[in-house]
């Protein structure tokens, strides 16, 4: 309908991946503009002057900011396909609670920098696994966090899966071994094309971390 959709993104950013998945779920055609966070474009600085972060969705020139807010916006604007948020207000509030939990708890407070050693690293790993175990409890025996269907909470969480290889390599631990239910859920999500084509390649994520030295593990 002659509308222009642009996404300012970074390949390895789990927050950008959330938006890429949502746009793919809705079948929205958009232009992807890859940012170099060490040399941000004027467009990014102008469109997100407050945080200067990606993702930024530009819809007919208007910026929508913050990945979870962007996903909600996409769900509302392109409402006729693959609903992501529950239609029931209470269920929607629950879904938003868990997406908020993910934003607060999955990115560990102490970033799992490869430089972190000893008790700082162990503390970050423990906190990370604890958060995943709480999420496993919420998932229970459901195929997805939304129940039978892939939805908003799944979109919020699955991007972190592309960073597991980097976390495990740097943190020297095996997430799947400690959180088998989580690992099964992640593999289930990865079978969805909107996810598999939007998630960064774990090896590239690992190299990206090494390449940029950016502590974007948990920003
Ligand atoms: N709460 C926001 C986080 C975005 C973010 O941290 N983006 C990072 C890249 S991914 O880790 C970013 O743009 N960092 C640039 C910077 O910190 O300068 C959201 O959900 O969209």
């Amino acid at each position: 309908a002659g509308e222009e959709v642009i996404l300012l993104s970074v390949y390895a950013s789990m927050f950008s991946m959330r938006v890429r998945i949502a746009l793919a779920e809705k079948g929205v055609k958009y232009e992807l503009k890859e940012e170099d966070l060490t040399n941000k474009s004027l467009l990014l600085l102008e469109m997100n002057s407050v945080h200067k972060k990606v993702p930024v969705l530009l819809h007919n020139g208007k910026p929508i900011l913050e990945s979870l807010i962007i996903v909600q916006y996409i769900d509302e604007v392109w409402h006729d396909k693959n609903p992501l948020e529950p239609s029931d207000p209470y269920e929607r509030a629950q879904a938003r609670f868990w997406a908020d939990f993910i934003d607060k708890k999955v990115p560990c407070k102490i970033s799992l920098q490869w430089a972190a050693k000893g008790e700082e690293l162990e503390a970050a790993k423990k906190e990370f696994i604890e958060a995943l175990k709480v999420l496993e409890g919420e998932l229970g025996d459901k195929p997805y966090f939304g129940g039978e269907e892939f939805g908003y909470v799944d979109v919020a969480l699955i991007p972190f899966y592309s960073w597991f290889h980097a976390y495990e390599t740097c943190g020297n631990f095996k997430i799947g071994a400690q959180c088998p239910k989580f690992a099964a859920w992640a593999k289930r999500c990865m079978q969805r094309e909107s996810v598999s084509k939007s998630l960064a390649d774990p090896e590239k994520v690992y190299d990206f971390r090494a390449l940029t030295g950016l502590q974007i593990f948990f920003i």
Side-chain angles (χ1 to χ4, degrees):
E3 58 189 358
E4 183 195 57
V5 182
I6 298 171
L7 176 62
L8 308 187
S9 173
V10 160
Y11 173 75
S13 160
M14 53 285 268
F15 305 105
S16 298
M17 290 176 219
R18 286 171 168 175
V19 178
R20 298 209 295 268
I21 293 169
L23 289 168
E25 282 289 321
K26 301 291 184 174
V28 175
K29 291 203 179 343
Y30 65 98
E31 183 191 342
L32 187 66
K33 283 182 180 287
E34 185 73 15
E35 283 289 330
D36 169 359
L37 296 181
T38 61
N39 178 24
K40 294 173 185 178
S41 70
L42 284 180
L43 187 60
L44 172 55
L45 298 175
E46 184 191 335
M47 289 294 152
N48 189 357
S49 56
V50 174
H51 298 306
K52 303 180 182 60
K53 289 184 178 232
V54 294
V56 173
L57 186 75
L58 301 180
H59 188 197
N60 296 327
K62 293 178 291 181
I64 301 97
L65 310 172
E66 287 298 307
S67 59
L68 292 178
I69 294 169
I70 299 171
V71 169
Q72 290 170 19
Y73 177 85
I74 291 166
D75 201 25
E76 288 162 7
V77 169
W78 289 279
H79 53 76
D80 54 349
K81 187 177 176 192
N82 289 357
L84 295 174
E85 287 205 282
S87 52
D88 171 73
Y90 181 74
E91 283 178 32
R92 192 157 61 237
Q94 291 295 92
R96 290 175 176 174
F97 168 85
W98 286 109
D100 179 62
F101 173 86
I102 290 162
D103 260 8
K104 285 188 170 89
K105 290 291 181 184
V106 176
C108 301
K109 298 285 167 291
I110 310 160
S111 69
L112 250 184
Q113 306 146 359
W114 50 98
K117 289 274 179 288
E119 73 280 357
E120 184 190 0
L121 178 58
E122 290 316 307
K125 284 156 62 175
K126 187 168 174 296
E127 188 181 358
F128 180 71
I129 292 294
E130 274 165 10
L132 293 191
K133 288 215 170 294
V134 170
L135 288 163
E136 280 191 322
E138 162 57 18
L139 181 65
D141 299 325
K142 299 178 291 187
Y144 300 104
F145 282 92
E148 291 310 305
E149 296 299 324
F150 178 84
Y152 179 66
V153 179
D154 304 288
V155 173
L157 183 58
I158 192 63
F160 288 91
Y161 182 66
S162 66
W163 276 79
F164 277 18
H165 170 64
Y167 297 161
E168 291 178 332
T169 310
C170 301
N172 187 25
F173 64 140
K174 277 277 168 243
I175 301 166
Q178 302 195 49
C179 305
K181 235 186 221 172
F182 184 96
W185 162 82
K187 282 185 182 41
R188 193 173 308 125
C189 291
M190 284 298 283
Q191 280 154 19
R192 210 174 172 84
E193 198 209 356
S194 67
V195 175
S196 55
K197 77 179 186 180
S198 304
L199 250 56
D201 172 88
E203 284 296 337
K204 288 202 189 110
V205 163
Y206 181 67
D207 297 340
F208 176 90
R209 170 201 60 76
L211 178 75
T212 58
L214 271 182
Q215 294 177 13
I216 69 168
F217 264 62
F218 303 118
I219 285 172

